[in-house]
Amino acid sequence: MNHLIDILELSEQEIDRLIETAEDIIARPEQYSEACRGKKLATLFFEPSTRTRLSFEAAMYELGGNVLGFSEAQSSSASKGESVADTVRVVGCYADIIAMRHPKEGAPVVACQSSTVPVINAGDGGHNHPTQTLTDLLTIHREKGRLNNLTIGLCGDLKFGRTVHSLLLAMSRYENINFVLISPEELKIPDYLKEDFLMKNHVPFTETTSLDEAMPKLDILYMTRVQRERFFNEQDYIRLRDSYILTADKLKTAKDDMCILHPLPRVNEISKDVDSDSRACYFKQALNGKFIRMALILKLLGLEREGGKAL
């Protein structure tokens, strides 16, 4: 594998290997502190980001490498009209690997076709966010001990939520996975995912507008924010932004070992009183993002060996 653009480019075996490597990094960080010495990561973020960009940077620094790049399109030559293809071709002269976020769906595909170094899709519009999905999978594996035999509730913005789309595609390949899709009518999962993927592949799912009704069934509750930046109409955003707010009171009917995930940032869809609940895993999830990105960087740079350990 030369690039990571879509989570489906990874086989289940490759995902398991990345998780194994991440687990070893967590257990033995000192063994990886010089693994990328002399290597440089370029973070090309044409769209705002905090967690994803900083976790990539922290990942590379903790592997002993260096980081260069930009955090907004205005501070790059894109503001002068330079194409994505030209940008990555030039940056490949200075860096060994690129993590790129772009508001246009498909931009990372264009990038990898021109790049001379590995490209990681760090999010493209409402389409895909494979490293967030790897973060989610590592968190689920660490919290539940498995990636199969789970009922997963996806709640909130299922129409524009790229993290939801990628997680749905990834988890659908594991045995005995059942999805509960919880959203207002206006933010339902896109038809191409529902009809061309879930239904075509006979993946069990139900759709509902009620979080309260779904709660007792769930092993995983994946909350998402209603994303203001994806709306063309401010009134629609205001009307839908408070559709689902998770509170401590609403968790009374949930399983004792349910795992609450959120890709962050949150606005108000998870009340602060949930943070102290043992089922709240979203800050652990943010930390896990650093470890799985470390594993991915090692893989794409060819610096892991058999068994998932660093060279």
Side-chain angles (χ1 to χ4, degrees), residues 192-234:
Y192 82 90
L193 279 171
K194 183 166 64 174
E195 296 171 7
D196 297 341
F197 190 81
L198 291 176
M199 296 174 71
K200 186 176 180 179
N201 292 287
H202 308 290
V203 178
F205 74 94
T206 56
E207 292 184 285
T208 181
T209 58
S210 174
L211 175 57
D212 291 339
E213 289 182 12
M215 189 72 77
K217 312 170 190 174
L218 305 179
D219 299 304
I220 306 290
L221 173 58
Y222 197 95
M223 296 293 296
T224 66
R225 70 185 172 95
V226 175
Q227 303 174 84
R228 186 178 210 151
E229 62 268 30
R230 306 295 175 208
F231 280 80
F232 296 106
N233 186 316
E234 180 74 6

Side-chain angles (χ1 to χ4, degrees), residues 176-189:
N176 196 26
I177 297 296
N178 181 58
F179 290 105
V180 182
L181 308 177
I182 310 157
S183 71
E185 289 294 325
E186 296 92 335
L187 296 176
K188 290 172 68 174
I189 204 89

